[in-house]
Structure formats: structure tokens, C-alpha cells
């Protein structure tokens, strides 16, 4: 009971502070809008006067081409000023609308603060991982209708997990869609790539294979990575698994190793376009997974080994033995040989 009361007091204080901040900025934005609109009106009046003066000059029987030219220049400057000022008015209006909308949401939240349901949701939120906690906060601020269906802790976990994964998927999909990096495009990159000497084709072990976003989401949900841990993808391709993990668990450290140059460069383009938090937590390496040290710093290692040759897989297994105690190793298609232990 005391904890719930403390939460309520803290929420009241935080909301009061946010509402005061919103009020001050709303007043300031309204003043800025009025000032900008006044400047627009003045500029519009000057343009009307210039139009009238130009009309008179055109009707003049004497040679006034010099005056007309000067006035046309002045008119062009005024029109440019008018465009700038109208853009400023639009920006101030948009800001004011956002502030008003935020104020409405804060008032709604303030009304909810005394309800037992909100206090309960805040208590549940304290137990959620950060992505789910953020999803619940957004749902509260949006007054999401799904909040009404939450009757128990399991309901909260189910709904906010779906919301968090959905949000992450949209960010992940938008990233690769903006780069026009479909599965077919990635396969084309791999199939048309050659080794450095341009004479020997790439090994069949490097055949491009792709993982599904929701497959990675399900895998990570089972593994329950902790903030600050390192997730490593051996043969990361265009980086789909890496960026899926990044959008789902922003506080993870991520490392990918890719040998095929075209796929590596595609993943770098994705990283350069990445706009989610903590891009500095992502390390993409152009190198050979049999020689680059991934075992000493990884907490979770993922490898899509479907196309790996027996020789390459045996090498990977031996390197996996160097992982730190407690590290997790996940592979697709191939399993670690019986008797091998990572601890």
C-alpha cells in the first residue's frame, strides 16, 4: 500500500512538472505564432502596395524602366520574405498543435493517476523489460483501447510484448525497405560477388541465408538477453539479425562478422541509415569468422550454419569452446557435436 502511495505521489509530481513545462511552452509558442502572423500580414500589405505602384508605373507614358526594374527586385525580395514568414507560421502552428495535444494527454494521464488501475499498471511496468516498459508508456499516453482489456499481469505482458515487437518490426522493415534491400537483392549481391583475386568463386559455405525477424524475436525472447550483453552473428550478411536484435533490445551490444564484401557493405549502409538509439553499440566486421576473435567477448552467439561445410562447422565448434562460461551458442541446422560443452 505504501509503495502504491509513493508511486502515486511521484507520478503526480512528475506530471505537474510536465504540465507546467507544457503550459509555459504553449504560451511562448502562441506568442511566437501571433508575432509571425503579424509579420506575414505586414509583408502582404507591402506586396499589395508594390503591386499598385507597379501598375501605375506601367501606365506611365515616360521611360520608367529603371524604376520598374528596381521595384520588381524589391517585389521579389518581399515575396521571398513572405514565403519564409508563412513557413515560419506553419511551423509555429504545428508546434502549438503538438503542445496542445500533449497537454490533453497529460490531463488524461492526470485524471487516471488516482485510479487503482493506473497504480497497478505502474507496478507491473516496474517488472517489465525496457522495450515493453516503453511500449506500455506509449499506450498510456495514446489512451490505447487495449488498456481496457488488461485484467491481470499476464494480459499486460501479452499486450505490451506484441506492441513492442510490432514497433520494432516496423523500424526494422523500414530500414531495409528504404535501402531496397529485399531478400532477392541480398541473394543477388552474394551470387555476383567474387573473392579478392576474382578468379575463384566464393565457397558454397558462404551461400546467403536469411533469418526471419519474428524468428529472431522468438529466439531472443527465450534467451532473455540482459542490457549490456553482447550478441554476435557469425556471417551476418546484410545485418538483418543484428538490426532485429537492435530494435528489440536497444541496450544490447551487437557484433556481426561477414566475409562477403558486397553483403558487408550492404550491412554498413544499413548501419549508416540506422536511426534507433545506441548505434554505437553495433560493430560490423569485414572478416573471417575463423580468425576474428568473437569468442572472448560474446555472451550470445548466433550462426545460420545451414550452408556450412563439415570442415567449416568443425572449426566453428572448436572456436565455440573458447566462449566464456555462461555464454550461449545458437546455431541453425547444425548441432554441436555430442560431448562438446561450452562451460
Amino acid at each position: 500500500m505504501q509503495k502504491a502511495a509513493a508511486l502515486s505521489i511521484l507520478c503526480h509530481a512528475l506530471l505537474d512538472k510536465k504540465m507546467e513545462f507544457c503550459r509555459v511552452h504553449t504560451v511562448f509558442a502562441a506568442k511566437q505564432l501571433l508575432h509571425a502572423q503579424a509579420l506575414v500580414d505586414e509583408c502582404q500589405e507591402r506586396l499589395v502596395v508594390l503591386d499598385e505602384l507597379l501598375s501605375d508605373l506601367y501606365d506611365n507614358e515616360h521611360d520608367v524602366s529603371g524604376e520598374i526594374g528596381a521595384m520588381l527586385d524589391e517585389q521579389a525580395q518581399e515575396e521571398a520574405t513572405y514565403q519564409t514568414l508563412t513557413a515560419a507560421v506553419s511551423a509555429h502552428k504545428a508546434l502549438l498543435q503538438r503542445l496542445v495535444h500533449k497537454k490533453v494527454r497529460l490531463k488524461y494521464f492526470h485524471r487516471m493517476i488516482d485510479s487503482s488501475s493506473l497504480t497497478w499498471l505502474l507496478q507491473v511496468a516496474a517488472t517489465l523489460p525496457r522495450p515493453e516498459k516503453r511500449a506500455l508508456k506509449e499506450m498510456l499516453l495514446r489512451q490505447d483501447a487495449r488498456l481496457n482489456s488488461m485484467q491481470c499481469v499476464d494480459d499486460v505482458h501479452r499486450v505490451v510484448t506484441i506492441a513492442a515487437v510490432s514497433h520494432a518490426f516496423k523500424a526494422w522493415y523500414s530500414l531495409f525497405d528504404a535501402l531496397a534491400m529485399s531478400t532477392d537483392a541480398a541473394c543477388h549481391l552474394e551470387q555476383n560477388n567474387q573473392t579478392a583475386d576474382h578468379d575463384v568463386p566464393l565457397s558454397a559455405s558462404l551461400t546467403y541465408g536469411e533469418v526471419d525477424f519474428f524468428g529472431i524475436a522468438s529466439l531472443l525472447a527465450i534467451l532473455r538477453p540482459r542490457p549490456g550483453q553482447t550478441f554476435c552473428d557469425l556471417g551476418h550478411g546484410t545485418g538483418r539479425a543484428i538490426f532485429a536484435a537492435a530494435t528489440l533490445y536497444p541496450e544490447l551490444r551487437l557484433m556481426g562478422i561477414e566475409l562477403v564484401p558486397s553483403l558487408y557493405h550492404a550491412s554498413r549502409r544499413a548501419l549508416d541509415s540506422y536511426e534507433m538509439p545506441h548505434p554505437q553499440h553495433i560493430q560490423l566486421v569485414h572478416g573471417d569468422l575463423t580468425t576474428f576473435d568473437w569468442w572472448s567477448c560474446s555472451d550470445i552467439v548466433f550462426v545460420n550454419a545451414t550452408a556450412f561445410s563439415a570442415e567449416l562447422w568443425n572449426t566453428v565448434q572448436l572456436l565455440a569452446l573458447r566462449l566464456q562460461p555462461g555464454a550461449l551458442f545458437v546455431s541453425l541446422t547444425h548441432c554441436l557435436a555430442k560431448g562438446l560443452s561450452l562451460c
Side-chain angles (χ1 to χ4, degrees):
M1 192 68 178
Q2 290 179 344
K3 187 175 181 180
L7 278 171
S8 180
I9 292 170
L10 286 172
C11 286
H12 268 296
L14 179 61
L15 282 173
D16 288 342
K17 185 176 181 180
K18 284 182 174 290
M19 289 183 73
E20 177 61 18
F21 176 88
C22 191
R23 185 193 68 79
V24 171
H25 280 73
T26 300
V27 171
F28 180 74
K31 289 180 178 179
Q32 291 287 93
L33 174 60
L34 290 173
H35 178 66
Q37 187 61 59
L39 292 176
V40 168
D41 293 341
E42 291 175 5
C43 187
Q44 205 165 18
E45 289 176 2
R46 290 195 297 272
L47 284 170
V48 170
V49 171
L50 284 171
D51 280 338
E52 292 175 352
L53 291 174
L54 279 170
S55 179
D56 291 341
L57 286 174
Y58 284 131
D59 293 338
N60 198 310
E61 297 178 355
H62 303 288
D63 183 10
V64 290
S65 56
E67 290 87 341
I68 290 176
M71 198 162 291
L72 286 173
D73 290 340
E74 185 179 352
Q75 185 184 47
Q77 291 177 359
E78 285 292 343
E79 287 176 347
T81 302
Y82 179 78
Q83 294 296 327
T84 302
L85 290 173
T86 51
V89 167
S90 298
H92 288 309
K93 283 182 178 178
L95 174 60
L96 192 58
Q97 287 175 348
R98 289 197 299 271
L99 287 168
V100 170
H101 182 59
K102 184 176 182 179
K103 189 175 181 181
V104 170
R105 290 193 302 174
L106 287 171
K107 283 184 176 179
Y108 163 78
F109 208 16
H110 209 285
R111 287 197 302 271
M112 284 187 66
I113 202 72
D114 294 319
S115 69
S116 58
S117 61
L118 181 62
T119 303
W120 172 70
L121 282 174
L122 291 172
Q123 290 175 326
V124 175
T127 68
L128 295 173
R130 189 173 293 272
E132 283 80 359
K133 190 179 296 184
R134 184 169 57 249
L136 179 57
K137 176 185 175 183
E138 291 175 357
M139 291 175 69
L140 284 167
L141 292 176
R142 289 199 313 269
Q143 306 174 35
D144 197 301
R146 288 175 292 180
L147 293 169
N148 299 325
S149 67
M150 297 180 183
Q151 303 298 324
C152 63
V153 174
D154 287 343
D155 288 342
V156 178
H157 281 274
R158 175 178 54 80
V159 173
V160 299
T161 298
I162 292 172
V165 171
S166 175
H167 176 76
F169 174 72
K170 288 177 182 177
W172 177 87
Y173 180 85
S174 297
L175 173 65
F176 287 97
D177 184 55
L179 295 171
M181 188 52 62
S182 64
T183 302
D184 289 341
C187 288
H188 179 75
L189 284 176
E190 183 272 328
Q191 290 166 2
N192 287 277
N193 212 97
Q194 297 290 321
T195 51
D197 59 11
H198 299 283
D199 294 324
V200 183
L202 291 171
S203 165
S205 294
L206 302 180
T207 300
Y208 181 74
E210 194 165 284
V211 292
D212 176 71
F213 174 89
F214 295 103
I216 290 293
S218 299
L219 172 64
L220 291 174
I222 294 170
L223 299 179
R224 295 179 177 274
R226 297 187 302 276
Q229 286 191 317
T230 298
F231 173 88
C232 178
D233 183 6
L234 302 181
H236 68 257
T238 57
R240 289 173 182 262
I242 290 289
F243 291 105
T247 54
L248 289 162
Y249 297 89
E251 295 185 350
L252 274 182
R253 296 189 178 278
L254 301 148
M255 180 170 66
I257 305 170
E258 178 56 53
L259 182 60
V260 180
S262 56
L263 296 178
Y264 166 75
H265 291 305
S267 69
R268 289 296 313 182
R269 290 199 302 275
L271 180 58
D272 291 340
S273 302
Y274 186 63
E275 296 180 353
M276 297 293 285
H278 311 305
Q280 70 276 15
H281 288 183
I282 302 175
Q283 178 188 9
L284 301 177
V285 178
H286 182 209
D288 188 339
L289 61 85
T290 64
T291 57
F292 185 85
D293 180 1
W294 46 267
W295 48 85
S296 63
C297 60
S298 298
D299 300 292
I300 301 172
V301 178
F302 172 77
V303 55
N304 183 358
T306 302
F308 280 19
S309 65
E311 180 183 1
L312 178 57
W313 178 243
N314 287 334
T315 301
V316 171
Q317 288 187 97
L318 293 174
L319 293 174
L321 293 175
R322 302 182 186 181
L323 286 165
Q324 298 297 314
L328 301 172
F329 185 88
V330 181
S331 63
L332 299 185
T333 306
H334 292 290
C335 297
L336 292 174
K338 190 174 182 180
L340 282 178
S341 172
L342 300 185
C343 299

